[in-house]
Amino acid sequence: MEKIKLGISTCLLGENIRYDGGHKLDRFLTDTLGQYVEYVPVCPEVECGLPIPRESMHLEGNPESPRLVTSRTKQDMTERMVGWAKKRVVELEKEGLCGFIFKSDSPSSGMERVRVFNEKGMPVKKGVGMFARIFMEHFPLLPVEDEGRLHDLKLRENFIERIFALKRWRELLGKKESRGNVVDFHTIHKSLILSHSPKHYQAMGKLVARAKELSLRELYRQYQIWLMESLQLKTTPKKNANVLMHMMGYFKEQLSSDEKQELLEVIDHYRAGYIPLVVPITLISHYVRKYNQPYLKQQVYLNPHPLELQLRNHV
Ligand code: SF4
């Protein structure tokens, strides 16, 4: 698989472009995730023409539609930033991004809980950075996160799972459109979708089953929306245990009662939070390989992202 293209706030890559001339290098993003990702850096403040260093800025006014203002001299940068951002998102369409990682807390780049000051100078953490807002409105289905939230292992796993899934979907879009291709894509993603959203699993199954009744355009459009919506919902130990039990059902004939008992115990221990997901997944994968189970062998759920990222090693 070629590298996944992700937009990123430039200062997270270690470039000295912040208002104080510093950076916010994040080693996980550059050294670990960076092995699988090609970053497209975006610094709204510098790209809209502001110097380095520069006066710091903040959001003020209504949290739903705040103004971007310099902190000391109170210059209003809103029009300048909005004008630039609207053009930049159109340019970014050509990049084929599979997601964006924003710098947290920034009045330009923060994706949530950015401080907005009211007329009395009191902050409320309810704002969205000016560029981040325009980006998310322009690309509503793209996975987005900020570097602070990505330190939470569950959020990290969810984000990375989504960008890898979107990359595979984009590769499908690069092929000739056909109903069969969507059916094949769905077949190998079934368990993954089920682990996020049983409701979407049902709906997408029905969609694919009546693929012949739909135009290709409608099939691709609706499938993509539900794919990204479903994966955005978090997996839970209960949902994962349900998928694992479902997979276990494929080995009814092959496993001895002792092996079944052992697998059940491992799934129960995972569900109770004693061991990480990687343990039952490894055991199931072992049986998939041993008995060459054709349906499970192709399930992306067993291998949705590189093992080296250790995304399923937490409890
Ligand atoms: S937070 Fe955003 S605007 Fe500020 S330096 Fe980083 S990329 Fe540039």
Side-chain angles (χ1 to χ4, degrees), residues 27-51:
R27 288 260 173 224
F28 168 74
L29 299 180
T30 54
D31 299 359
T32 307
L33 189 58
Q35 294 172 48
Y36 309 96
V37 162
E38 178 188 341
Y39 288 119
V40 177
V42 181
C43 176
E45 293 178 16
V46 171
E47 291 185 29
C48 82
L50 298 173

PDB file of all heavy atoms in Angstrom, residues 27-51:
ATOM      1  N   ARG A  27       6.547  13.524  18.255  1.00  0.00           N
ATOM      2  CA  ARG A  27       7.382  12.402  17.766  1.00  0.00           C
ATOM      3  C   ARG A  27       6.556  11.193  17.327  1.00  0.00           C
ATOM      4  O   ARG A  27       6.962  10.481  16.414  1.00  0.00           O
ATOM      5  CB  ARG A  27       8.348  11.957  18.873  1.00  0.00           C
ATOM      6  CG  ARG A  27       9.442  12.959  19.105  1.00  0.00           C
ATOM      7  CD  ARG A  27      10.719  12.489  18.397  1.00  0.00           C
ATOM      8  NE  ARG A  27      11.719  13.527  18.488  1.00  0.00           N
ATOM      9  CZ  ARG A  27      12.486  13.928  17.499  1.00  0.00           C
ATOM     10  NH1 ARG A  27      12.364  13.385  16.309  1.00  0.00           N
ATOM     11  NH2 ARG A  27      13.384  14.873  17.664  1.00  0.00           N
ATOM     12  N   PHE A  28       5.410  10.955  17.969  1.00  0.00           N
ATOM     13  CA  PHE A  28       4.597   9.829  17.521  1.00  0.00           C
ATOM     14  C   PHE A  28       4.167  10.074  16.066  1.00  0.00           C
ATOM     15  O   PHE A  28       4.222   9.173  15.226  1.00  0.00           O
ATOM     16  CB  PHE A  28       3.355   9.634  18.408  1.00  0.00           C
ATOM     17  CG  PHE A  28       2.364   8.674  17.807  1.00  0.00           C
ATOM     18  CD1 PHE A  28       2.613   7.308  17.789  1.00  0.00           C
ATOM     19  CD2 PHE A  28       1.198   9.141  17.194  1.00  0.00           C
ATOM     20  CE1 PHE A  28       1.730   6.420  17.193  1.00  0.00           C
ATOM     21  CE2 PHE A  28       0.313   8.255  16.597  1.00  0.00           C
ATOM     22  CZ  PHE A  28       0.572   6.892  16.593  1.00  0.00           C
ATOM     23  N   LEU A  29       3.760  11.321  15.786  1.00  0.00           N
ATOM     24  CA  LEU A  29       3.270  11.621  14.436  1.00  0.00           C
ATOM     25  C   LEU A  29       4.389  11.551  13.397  1.00  0.00           C
ATOM     26  O   LEU A  29       4.196  11.028  12.301  1.00  0.00           O
ATOM     27  CB  LEU A  29       2.613  13.011  14.408  1.00  0.00           C
ATOM     28  CG  LEU A  29       1.411  13.183  15.329  1.00  0.00           C
ATOM     29  CD1 LEU A  29       0.835  14.588  15.217  1.00  0.00           C
ATOM     30  CD2 LEU A  29       0.327  12.148  15.009  1.00  0.00           C
ATOM     31  N   THR A  30       5.569  12.073  13.749  1.00  0.00           N
ATOM     32  CA  THR A  30       6.645  12.097  12.750  1.00  0.00           C
ATOM     33  C   THR A  30       7.324  10.734  12.647  1.00  0.00           C
ATOM     34  O   THR A  30       7.470  10.188  11.557  1.00  0.00           O
ATOM     35  CB  THR A  30       7.691  13.171  13.090  1.00  0.00           C
ATOM     36  OG1 THR A  30       8.149  12.966  14.435  1.00  0.00           O
ATOM     37  CG2 THR A  30       7.128  14.566  12.942  1.00  0.00           C
ATOM     38  N   ASP A  31       7.705  10.147  13.779  1.00  0.00           N
ATOM     39  CA  ASP A  31       8.572   8.963  13.725  1.00  0.00           C
ATOM     40  C   ASP A  31       7.791   7.656  13.582  1.00  0.00           C
ATOM     41  O   ASP A  31       8.243   6.741  12.905  1.00  0.00           O
ATOM     42  CB  ASP A  31       9.436   8.871  14.993  1.00  0.00           C
ATOM     43  CG  ASP A  31      10.338  10.086  15.138  1.00  0.00           C
ATOM     44  OD1 ASP A  31      10.300  10.959  14.248  1.00  0.00           O
ATOM     45  OD2 ASP A  31      11.064  10.184  16.134  1.00  0.00           O
ATOM     46  N   THR A  32       6.633   7.559  14.227  1.00  0.00           N
ATOM     47  CA  THR A  32       5.899   6.278  14.209  1.00  0.00           C
ATOM     48  C   THR A  32       4.852   6.277  13.098  1.00  0.00           C
ATOM     49  O   THR A  32       4.970   5.538  12.120  1.00  0.00           O
ATOM     50  CB  THR A  32       5.240   6.027  15.588  1.00  0.00           C
ATOM     51  OG1 THR A  32       6.261   6.141  16.587  1.00  0.00           O
ATOM     52  CG2 THR A  32       4.622   4.661  15.657  1.00  0.00           C
ATOM     53  N   LEU A  33       3.836   7.146  13.230  1.00  0.00           N
ATOM     54  CA  LEU A  33       2.796   7.175  12.199  1.00  0.00           C
ATOM     55  C   LEU A  33       3.387   7.627  10.856  1.00  0.00           C
ATOM     56  O   LEU A  33       2.945   7.205   9.791  1.00  0.00           O
ATOM     57  CB  LEU A  33       1.655   8.115  12.635  1.00  0.00           C
ATOM     58  CG  LEU A  33       0.398   8.085  11.780  1.00  0.00           C
ATOM     59  CD1 LEU A  33      -0.206   6.677  11.714  1.00  0.00           C
ATOM     60  CD2 LEU A  33      -0.646   9.070  12.297  1.00  0.00           C
ATOM     61  N   GLY A  34       4.412   8.464  10.953  1.00  0.00           N
ATOM     62  CA  GLY A  34       5.047   9.004   9.743  1.00  0.00           C
ATOM     63  C   GLY A  34       5.589   7.936   8.803  1.00  0.00           C
ATOM     64  O   GLY A  34       5.792   8.193   7.616  1.00  0.00           O
ATOM     65  N   GLN A  35       5.818   6.717   9.308  1.00  0.00           N
ATOM     66  CA  GLN A  35       6.321   5.645   8.429  1.00  0.00           C
ATOM     67  C   GLN A  35       5.268   5.214   7.409  1.00  0.00           C
ATOM     68  O   GLN A  35       5.591   4.618   6.387  1.00  0.00           O
ATOM     69  CB  GLN A  35       6.693   4.423   9.265  1.00  0.00           C
ATOM     70  CG  GLN A  35       7.868   4.652  10.190  1.00  0.00           C
ATOM     71  CD  GLN A  35       8.047   3.452  11.120  1.00  0.00           C
ATOM     72  OE1 GLN A  35       8.037   2.314  10.669  1.00  0.00           O
ATOM     73  NE2 GLN A  35       8.175   3.717  12.401  1.00  0.00           N
ATOM     74  N   TYR A  36       4.008   5.478   7.733  1.00  0.00           N
ATOM     75  CA  TYR A  36       2.920   5.008   6.861  1.00  0.00           C
ATOM     76  C   TYR A  36       2.187   6.153   6.170  1.00  0.00           C
ATOM     77  O   TYR A  36       1.251   5.923   5.415  1.00  0.00           O
ATOM     78  CB  TYR A  36       1.906   4.203   7.691  1.00  0.00           C
ATOM     79  CG  TYR A  36       2.569   3.140   8.503  1.00  0.00           C
ATOM     80  CD1 TYR A  36       2.902   3.357   9.837  1.00  0.00           C
ATOM     81  CD2 TYR A  36       2.935   1.934   7.907  1.00  0.00           C
ATOM     82  CE1 TYR A  36       3.568   2.389  10.572  1.00  0.00           C
ATOM     83  CE2 TYR A  36       3.601   0.968   8.632  1.00  0.00           C
ATOM     84  CZ  TYR A  36       3.916   1.203   9.970  1.00  0.00           C
ATOM     85  OH  TYR A  36       4.584   0.249  10.682  1.00  0.00           O
ATOM     86  N   VAL A  37       2.619   7.368   6.494  1.00  0.00           N
ATOM     87  CA  VAL A  37       1.845   8.539   6.094  1.00  0.00           C
ATOM     88  C   VAL A  37       2.710   9.543   5.353  1.00  0.00           C
ATOM     89  O   VAL A  37       3.879   9.725   5.688  1.00  0.00           O
ATOM     90  CB  VAL A  37       1.277   9.190   7.393  1.00  0.00           C
ATOM     91  CG1 VAL A  37       0.849  10.598   7.162  1.00  0.00           C
ATOM     92  CG2 VAL A  37       0.115   8.362   7.923  1.00  0.00           C
ATOM     93  N   GLU A  38       2.121  10.156   4.337  1.00  0.00           N
ATOM     94  CA  GLU A  38       2.772  11.305   3.700  1.00  0.00           C
ATOM     95  C   GLU A  38       2.002  12.547   4.152  1.00  0.00           C
ATOM     96  O   GLU A  38       0.801  12.658   3.875  1.00  0.00           O
ATOM     97  CB  GLU A  38       2.697  11.165   2.173  1.00  0.00           C
ATOM     98  CG  GLU A  38       3.313  12.344   1.443  1.00  0.00           C
ATOM     99  CD  GLU A  38       3.059  12.269  -0.062  1.00  0.00           C
ATOM    100  OE1 GLU A  38       2.731  11.180  -0.585  1.00  0.00           O
ATOM    101  OE2 GLU A  38       3.156  13.329  -0.698  1.00  0.00           O
ATOM    102  N   TYR A  39       2.663  13.432   4.857  1.00  0.00           N
ATOM    103  CA  TYR A  39       1.972  14.589   5.398  1.00  0.00           C
ATOM    104  C   TYR A  39       1.918  15.740   4.400  1.00  0.00           C
ATOM    105  O   TYR A  39       2.893  16.002   3.685  1.00  0.00           O
ATOM    106  CB  TYR A  39       2.665  15.079   6.676  1.00  0.00           C
ATOM    107  CG  TYR A  39       2.461  14.169   7.862  1.00  0.00           C
ATOM    108  CD1 TYR A  39       3.543  13.559   8.494  1.00  0.00           C
ATOM    109  CD2 TYR A  39       1.181  13.911   8.352  1.00  0.00           C
ATOM    110  CE1 TYR A  39       3.360  12.727   9.598  1.00  0.00           C
ATOM    111  CE2 TYR A  39       0.988  13.070   9.445  1.00  0.00           C
ATOM    112  CZ  TYR A  39       2.079  12.483  10.058  1.00  0.00           C
ATOM    113  OH  TYR A  39       1.882  11.656  11.141  1.00  0.00           O
ATOM    114  N   VAL A  40       0.775  16.406   4.399  1.00  0.00           N
ATOM    115  CA  VAL A  40       0.610  17.644   3.635  1.00  0.00           C
ATOM    116  C   VAL A  40       0.477  18.759   4.673  1.00  0.00           C
ATOM    117  O   VAL A  40      -0.581  18.905   5.299  1.00  0.00           O
ATOM    118  CB  VAL A  40      -0.644  17.585   2.737  1.00  0.00           C
ATOM    119  CG1 VAL A  40      -0.842  18.906   2.010  1.00  0.00           C
ATOM    120  CG2 VAL A  40      -0.558  16.430   1.757  1.00  0.00           C
ATOM    121  N   PRO A  41       1.559  19.508   4.933  1.00  0.00           N
ATOM    122  CA  PRO A  41       1.509  20.498   6.018  1.00  0.00           C
ATOM    123  C   PRO A  41       0.708  21.737   5.658  1.00  0.00           C
ATOM    124  O   PRO A  41       0.762  22.204   4.512  1.00  0.00           O
ATOM    125  CB  PRO A  41       2.986  20.865   6.235  1.00  0.00           C
ATOM    126  CG  PRO A  41       3.732  20.333   5.071  1.00  0.00           C
ATOM    127  CD  PRO A  41       2.857  19.419   4.281  1.00  0.00           C
ATOM    128  N   VAL A  42      -0.040  22.232   6.632  1.00  0.00           N
ATOM    129  CA  VAL A  42      -0.805  23.467   6.438  1.00  0.00           C
ATOM    130  C   VAL A  42      -0.641  24.329   7.696  1.00  0.00           C
ATOM    131  O   VAL A  42      -0.986  23.884   8.797  1.00  0.00           O
ATOM    132  CB  VAL A  42      -2.317  23.182   6.220  1.00  0.00           C
ATOM    133  CG1 VAL A  42      -3.076  24.501   6.009  1.00  0.00           C
ATOM    134  CG2 VAL A  42      -2.545  22.260   5.037  1.00  0.00           C
ATOM    135  N   CYS A  43      -0.118  25.531   7.531  1.00  0.00           N
ATOM    136  CA  CYS A  43      -0.082  26.485   8.639  1.00  0.00           C
ATOM    137  C   CYS A  43      -0.922  27.696   8.250  1.00  0.00           C
ATOM    138  O   CYS A  43      -0.474  28.550   7.471  1.00  0.00           O
ATOM    139  CB  CYS A  43       1.342  26.938   8.961  1.00  0.00           C
ATOM    140  SG  CYS A  43       1.318  28.213  10.248  1.00  0.00           S
ATOM    141  N   PRO A  44      -2.140  27.784   8.750  1.00  0.00           N
ATOM    142  CA  PRO A  44      -3.035  28.868   8.330  1.00  0.00           C
ATOM    143  C   PRO A  44      -2.446  30.258   8.570  1.00  0.00           C
ATOM    144  O   PRO A  44      -2.558  31.126   7.701  1.00  0.00           O
ATOM    145  CB  PRO A  44      -4.283  28.647   9.187  1.00  0.00           C
ATOM    146  CG  PRO A  44      -4.237  27.219   9.585  1.00  0.00           C
ATOM    147  CD  PRO A  44      -2.797  26.849   9.677  1.00  0.00           C
ATOM    148  N   GLU A  45      -1.817  30.460   9.707  1.00  0.00           N
ATOM    149  CA  GLU A  45      -1.371  31.829  10.025  1.00  0.00           C
ATOM    150  C   GLU A  45      -0.232  32.269   9.115  1.00  0.00           C
ATOM    151  O   GLU A  45      -0.222  33.403   8.631  1.00  0.00           O
ATOM    152  CB  GLU A  45      -0.989  31.906  11.512  1.00  0.00           C
ATOM    153  CG  GLU A  45      -2.225  31.727  12.389  1.00  0.00           C
ATOM    154  CD  GLU A  45      -1.945  31.728  13.885  1.00  0.00           C
ATOM    155  OE1 GLU A  45      -0.857  32.150  14.310  1.00  0.00           O
ATOM    156  OE2 GLU A  45      -2.852  31.290  14.638  1.00  0.00           O
ATOM    157  N   VAL A  46       0.720  31.396   8.878  1.00  0.00           N
ATOM    158  CA  VAL A  46       1.834  31.772   8.003  1.00  0.00           C
ATOM    159  C   VAL A  46       1.376  31.809   6.535  1.00  0.00           C
ATOM    160  O   VAL A  46       1.711  32.725   5.783  1.00  0.00           O
ATOM    161  CB  VAL A  46       3.030  30.811   8.204  1.00  0.00           C
ATOM    162  CG1 VAL A  46       4.095  31.051   7.148  1.00  0.00           C
ATOM    163  CG2 VAL A  46       3.608  31.007   9.597  1.00  0.00           C
ATOM    164  N   GLU A  47       0.558  30.823   6.141  1.00  0.00           N
ATOM    165  CA  GLU A  47       0.133  30.767   4.731  1.00  0.00           C
ATOM    166  C   GLU A  47      -0.812  31.904   4.365  1.00  0.00           C
ATOM    167  O   GLU A  47      -0.947  32.255   3.192  1.00  0.00           O
ATOM    168  CB  GLU A  47      -0.520  29.412   4.423  1.00  0.00           C
ATOM    169  CG  GLU A  47       0.494  28.277   4.463  1.00  0.00           C
ATOM    170  CD  GLU A  47      -0.103  26.938   4.052  1.00  0.00           C
ATOM    171  OE1 GLU A  47      -1.049  26.911   3.252  1.00  0.00           O
ATOM    172  OE2 GLU A  47       0.386  25.908   4.549  1.00  0.00           O
ATOM    173  N   CYS A  48      -1.462  32.511   5.370  1.00  0.00           N
ATOM    174  CA  CYS A  48      -2.321  33.657   5.010  1.00  0.00           C
ATOM    175  C   CYS A  48      -1.507  34.963   5.056  1.00  0.00           C
ATOM    176  O   CYS A  48      -2.066  36.054   4.911  1.00  0.00           O
ATOM    177  CB  CYS A  48      -3.577  33.728   5.868  1.00  0.00           C
ATOM    178  SG  CYS A  48      -3.375  34.488   7.462  1.00  0.00           S
ATOM    179  N   GLY A  49      -0.193  34.826   5.257  1.00  0.00           N
ATOM    180  CA  GLY A  49       0.685  35.980   5.066  1.00  0.00           C
ATOM    181  C   GLY A  49       1.217  36.633   6.333  1.00  0.00           C
ATOM    182  O   GLY A  49       1.844  37.697   6.258  1.00  0.00           O
ATOM    183  N   LEU A  50       1.020  36.009   7.492  1.00  0.00           N
ATOM    184  CA  LEU A  50       1.518  36.609   8.731  1.00  0.00           C
ATOM    185  C   LEU A  50       2.979  36.204   8.949  1.00  0.00           C
ATOM    186  O   LEU A  50       3.404  35.128   8.522  1.00  0.00           O
ATOM    187  CB  LEU A  50       0.644  36.171   9.911  1.00  0.00           C
ATOM    188  CG  LEU A  50      -0.820  36.629   9.798  1.00  0.00           C
ATOM    189  CD1 LEU A  50      -1.666  36.028  10.911  1.00  0.00           C
ATOM    190  CD2 LEU A  50      -0.910  38.150   9.826  1.00  0.00           C
ATOM    191  N   PRO A  51       3.737  37.054   9.633  1.00  0.00           N
ATOM    192  CA  PRO A  51       5.173  36.777   9.783  1.00  0.00           C
ATOM    193  C   PRO A  51       5.466  35.808  10.929  1.00  0.00           C
ATOM    194  O   PRO A  51       4.590  35.469  11.711  1.00  0.00           O
ATOM    195  CB  PRO A  51       5.742  38.166  10.106  1.00  0.00           C
ATOM    196  CG  PRO A  51       4.626  38.870  10.808  1.00  0.00           C
ATOM    197  CD  PRO A  51       3.351  38.358  10.217  1.00  0.00           C
TER     198      PRO A  51
END
